[in-house]
Amino acid sequence: ETGVTQTPRHLVMGMTNKKSLKCEQHLGHNAMYWYKQSAKKPLELMFVYNFKEQTENNSVPSRFSPECPNSSHLFLHLHTLQPEDSALYLCASSQASGDTGELFFGEGSRLTVL
Amino acid sequence: GQNIDQPTEMTATEGAIVQINCTYQTSGFNGLFWYQQHAGEAPTFLSYNVLDGLEEKGRFSSFLSRSKGYSYLLLKELQMKDSASYLCAVRDSNYQLIWGAGTKLIIKP
């Protein structure tokens, strides 16, 4: 089993749908992250949770709503998205946010908004 | 503003050597990372530099010059499986990671 698992791997949704992305890490880490990856652009940090508390929200539109019920699970709830939200959404974890260790990434959820 | 620059795409030949450059302008510096990302897969950690100099790890080496705001990733004895995107990221004074847009490396036989 990989360290960071994301589901679903692919998602197609209409602009009025509601869906959720799920991330689970089996590494005993205390920090979890959501990133947006668009073609030929740098990774965009969306949200950071450290010990289940949200410590970062990088001006993300309210149509993206994160949830972190425990240190191992992270969700991204999606509603009334726009076509420009189509991207690869990557979940990552680390020992704790602000430390010097590397991030461990999941394989991402490829989202297409029609 | 904070900025990381790296070439968009590079092409190299199997068995050869390639150097991928990364220059940065950030608010402070607390380390530089290189990640590898194969198409459709997760980025995976390659190297971390916080002091000037060369860090060697098998076929891959990473170099850092803090005074020049410059790093490079050196890949030797290229293999087809090295075809991937290589992401450079710098941790700033607030321990935030600033990412480059990645360099797509194409290896030709």
Side-chain angles (χ1 to χ4, degrees):
Chain A
E1 194 172 66
T2 57
V4 181
T5 305
Q6 290 188 242
T7 54
R9 292 292 310 278
H10 300 273
L11 179 62
V12 179
M13 58 188 290
M15 290 165 52
T16 58
N17 292 157
K18 289 184 180 182
K19 298 285 185 183
S20 295
L21 307 181
K22 178 183 176 182
C23 177
E24 185 174 359
Q25 58 97 359
H26 311 280
L27 300 169
H29 289 163
N30 295 303
M32 296 187 78
Y33 309 75
W34 279 117
Y35 278 93
K36 177 182 179 182
Q37 187 175 37
S38 302
K40 299 184 179 180
K41 290 185 177 180
L43 288 177
E44 296 176 46
L45 180 63
M46 300 175 72
F47 302 105
V48 181
Y49 279 82
N50 201 33
F51 293 92
K52 299 190 301 178
E53 298 296 320
Q54 185 175 311
T55 58
E56 195 87 28
N57 176 341
N58 276 1
S59 303
V60 179
S62 59
R63 57 186 183 269
F64 294 92
S65 173
E67 179 189 359
C68 188
N70 54 61
S71 293
S72 298
H73 294 85
L74 185 64
F75 296 88
L76 188 63
H77 304 298
L78 317 169
H79 66 98
T80 59
L81 295 189
Q82 306 297 310
E84 60 265 28
D85 297 323
S86 297
L88 182 68
Y89 289 85
L90 290 166
C91 174
S93 71
S94 68
Q95 286 290 349
S97 70
D99 68 9
T100 57
E102 73 264 30
L103 296 178
F104 292 79
F105 285 89
E107 292 189 314
S109 294
R110 171 72 62 185
L111 173 66
T112 302
V113 181
L114 301 176
Chain B
Q2 308 202 86
N3 194 51
I4 308 284
D5 286 314
Q6 48 180 134
T8 303
E9 187 173 298
M10 298 181 70
T11 302
T13 304
E14 190 177 16
I17 299 173
V18 71
Q19 178 176 310
I20 302 174
N21 296 324
C22 171
T23 58
Y24 62 88
Q25 300 91 36
T26 57
S27 302
F29 179 85
N30 279 298
L32 184 144
F33 295 84
W34 283 96
Y35 283 80
Q36 181 190 58
Q37 185 178 22
H38 286 102
E41 297 184 13
T44 54
F45 170 77
L46 283 179
S47 67
Y48 173 68
N49 294 70
V50 67
L51 299 176
D52 290 351
L54 189 68
E55 295 278 343
E56 296 186 75
K57 194 184 292 185
R59 293 189 299 114
F60 293 8
S61 303
S62 56
F63 171 84
L64 174 67
S65 169
R66 287 172 297 170
S67 63
K68 295 182 179 178
Y70 168 70
S71 172
Y72 66 73
L73 182 68
L74 191 70
L75 292 73
K76 301 177 184 177
E77 301 169 18
L78 286 170
Q79 301 175 10
M80 297 303 292
K81 67 178 182 179
D82 298 328
S83 293
S85 289
Y86 292 85
L87 312 180
C88 175
V90 171
R91 204 180 286 280
D92 68 10
S93 57
N94 294 319
Y95 286 86
Q96 301 290 334
L97 270 178
I98 313 300
W99 293 85
T103 299
K104 182 178 180 181
L105 178 63
I106 299 168
I107 308 299
K108 296 187 174 180

